[in-house]
Each structure stands twice: as C-alpha cells, then as structure tokens.
Amino acid sequence: MYPFQDNYEHWCKTIALFSDTTISQIGFAISSFFSFQADQHSDGRSANNVRNSDIHQFVVYLKEERGLRTRTVNKYISYLKTYFKYLYQAKLIDHYPLMNIKGLSFDRHFHYVIGWHNHLIELIEIAKPETIKLLLAVLCGYKGDNLLTLTWADITPQINNTKLLAALEKHPNFPISSKQYLFQDTRFKNEDHRIKSFTSLNRKINGDEEKLGLDLSPTNLWMSFCLSNVLRTDLTDQQLMEKLHCNQKTLSYYRSIAAYAQLENYKLPTNV
C-alpha cells in the first residue's frame, strides 16, 4: 500500500485509461519509493512531506545499490511524476516534489553536508548511541542492508583514529571490544539479537537529525561521505575505490556529483 492508492488507481482506470499492467507497474514503483522512504527517515515521509532531495536519493539508490539501468530508472521517475502530479492537481499535497527532475538530469543545486566524520568525538557527547553507531558504520564503508547485520568486530578494527577509539571505549554504550551486533534489539535482555528493519533504527535515532543539523538518512550519509573523500587530493583513484568499495565508473559518478552539488562543511550545533 502507498498513500492515496485507492484514489490514484481509480484515476488511472477511469481518467487516464491505463491498462492493468501499467497500473501494476506504476504501483510497484510507487510502493518501492515509499518503502525506501520508510527506511531512510524516522517519520517515513508522508506524500506531502516528500522533497526534491528525497527523489534524488531514491534515484541514487536505484542506480548505485540496485544497479538498475538508466532506462529502468527513468521509468521509475516517469511513474513517480505521474503519481505526484495527480496528487498535486487533486490538491492532496501542497507542492510538486519533482519540479526540477528530468530523467537522470537534475537541477544542479543539490545540497550535501560533508565532513561530519571529522566531528565524531564531539558528537559522541550529544548524539544518541544509535546515531553514533550509524555514523561509524558509514565511516567504515558500509551502506544499505549491510548496516543492520554489522557487529562491533566488523567496525572496531577499521577505526584508525586512536582518539576516537578512546572516546568510544569510555562510553558505556559502545562495547567496542565485543562481538555483539552494532544495532541490538533491546527487547532481548540477555541475548544478542539485532534489529531487523530500518524502521526500528529510525525510531532509535528519532530527533537527532534536527538536533545535530544533519540528514541521517543512510543514503544521504553515504553520499556525503563519498563526496568528502573524492575531494581529497592525498588519495589515488585506487585508494578511493578501495575505501568507497566502488569501481572506476562509480568513482567518476561521485566526482560528477561533487562537481555540481552545493557542498557545505558540517558545523557542530551551538544550542545543545
């Protein structure tokens, strides 16, 4: 199910006169988008809260994590355009979130906050433990569904900053020497169980996005981390590909985004 599904399908059948096959394909694309949104944001993003940047992140996910071809990605975009245009014209939402998106050609003013990984020691004191764990996982090169299966044994050996390790070791919520799951399901008091969904993770980090002034959606964090690294001049292409777990084509893609996106260095909040 997705927002306003009954209304939209009725419009598709009676006004747009789409075939059942087309309606099914459109429904799959829209459901995939809102499922992705639920994984990325603690509020799940209602249809009226979807932003242009959310569409952009979804396209990055389709291309980079699901490996879909440009033609297929453009179909997803086309289906989403039809859906959100209907919602806007029917006054079910108050803005149209795909205003500057044409296939894989975007308005070149997307905004990313970079350099947050340089402030992890300070963030330990003000952020929720699950937020810090998420940032650490991205820092160590993990993304997507792999995030939920990580253990401290996966993470700790990859942290080369001795001051960061010391700060984590002093904190009671970071058992860095254990083999426990990084994101534990606390309903099991005496057993090591991991949480199974990003919805559960989002509940644990809820409130930190606004508090820290940082988009904590995993896809956005990953992209901002990649952009921070491709701007470095002290790493070779080979070192970057190893660090970001990507090939030369994907590295070039990250560089193209860095060339046109609006990048802002992260600043610690002053009101906490």
Side-chain angles (χ1 to χ4, degrees):
M1 293 290 293
Y2 55 84
F4 305 109
Q5 181 171 341
D6 291 341
N7 308 57
Y8 182 60
E9 287 187 349
H10 178 73
W11 178 85
C12 287
K13 292 176 182 179
T14 61
I15 305 299
L17 302 179
F18 292 150
S19 68
D20 289 343
T21 299
T22 299
I23 293 173
S24 177
Q25 292 173 340
I26 293 174
F28 178 80
I30 297 170
S31 296
S32 296
F33 171 72
F34 280 102
S35 176
F36 173 78
Q37 289 296 97
D39 286 346
Q40 297 294 311
H41 301 283
S42 57
D43 61 8
R45 286 276 191 270
S46 68
N48 198 50
N49 288 335
V50 172
R51 303 173 299 192
N52 190 270
S53 59
D54 294 320
I55 305 294
H56 175 66
Q57 289 178 23
F58 182 59
V59 171
V60 171
Y61 160 76
L62 293 176
K63 274 194 69 66
E64 298 306 311
E65 294 192 31
R66 289 186 54 183
L68 300 185
R69 295 182 177 181
T70 298
R71 182 177 179 182
T72 303
V73 174
N74 283 339
K75 281 188 177 181
Y76 274 78
I77 295 172
S78 176
Y79 293 152
L80 288 173
K81 278 187 172 184
T82 304
Y83 169 70
F84 280 106
K85 188 174 291 184
Y86 160 76
L87 295 185
Y88 182 65
Q89 291 175 343
K91 298 184 177 181
L92 296 172
I93 58 175
D94 58 21
H95 70 286
Y96 178 62
L98 287 92
M99 185 64 68
N100 296 311
I101 295 180
K102 299 178 181 179
L104 286 178
S105 175
F106 295 96
D107 172 27
R108 298 190 169 210
H109 293 90
F110 284 104
H111 177 262
Y112 288 99
V113 176
I114 61 174
W116 49 261
H117 55 284
N118 296 320
H119 299 278
L120 275 174
I121 294 176
E122 297 94 330
L123 289 173
I124 288 174
E125 300 302 321
I126 58 177
K128 294 179 179 179
E130 306 311 300
T131 299
I132 296 299
K133 294 174 188 178
L134 175 60
L135 296 176
L136 285 172
V138 174
L139 174 66
C140 292
Y142 294 100
K143 61 179 180 176
D145 292 338
N146 290 333
L147 293 170
L148 300 182
T149 63
L150 293 172
T151 67
W152 280 105
D154 297 316
I155 294 295
T156 303
Q158 299 189 60
I159 302 175
N160 299 318
N161 186 324
T162 55
K163 290 184 179 179
L164 175 57
L165 279 173
L168 291 169
E169 197 166 21
K170 291 179 182 177
H171 200 288
N173 290 308
F174 304 124
I176 62 174
S177 299
S178 75
K179 295 183 180 180
Q180 295 177 4
Y181 283 114
L182 201 64
F183 301 108
Q184 288 193 310
D185 189 333
T186 53
R187 293 175 300 173
F188 301 90
K189 299 298 182 183
N190 299 315
E191 300 178 60
D192 187 23
H193 287 265
R194 68 177 179 87
I195 60 175
K196 300 295 179 66
S197 70
F198 282 102
T199 301
S200 298
L201 176 58
N202 286 329
R203 283 197 291 265
K204 290 176 178 291
I205 66 176
N206 187 32
D208 265 3
E209 189 166 288
E210 182 177 352
K211 180 181 180 180
L212 303 179
L214 182 64
D215 188 336
L216 295 175
S217 60
T219 299
N220 186 281
L221 285 176
W222 175 253
M223 183 59 72
S224 66
F225 176 67
C226 290
L227 299 183
S228 297
N229 279 280
V230 299
L231 293 174
R232 293 175 57 175
T233 57
D234 60 324
L235 296 177
T236 65
D237 280 13
Q238 186 60 41
Q239 289 173 319
L240 282 170
M241 287 187 285
E242 291 175 1
K243 188 178 184 66
L244 303 178
H245 307 291
C246 68
N247 56 27
Q248 187 69 58
K249 182 178 180 181
T250 302
L251 181 60
S252 297
Y253 173 72
Y254 291 148
R255 282 191 170 127
S256 69
I257 293 179
Y260 67 71
Q262 292 182 349
L263 304 180
E264 175 189 353
N265 286 314
Y266 180 68
K267 297 179 181 178
L268 289 166
T270 57
N271 57 343
V272 294

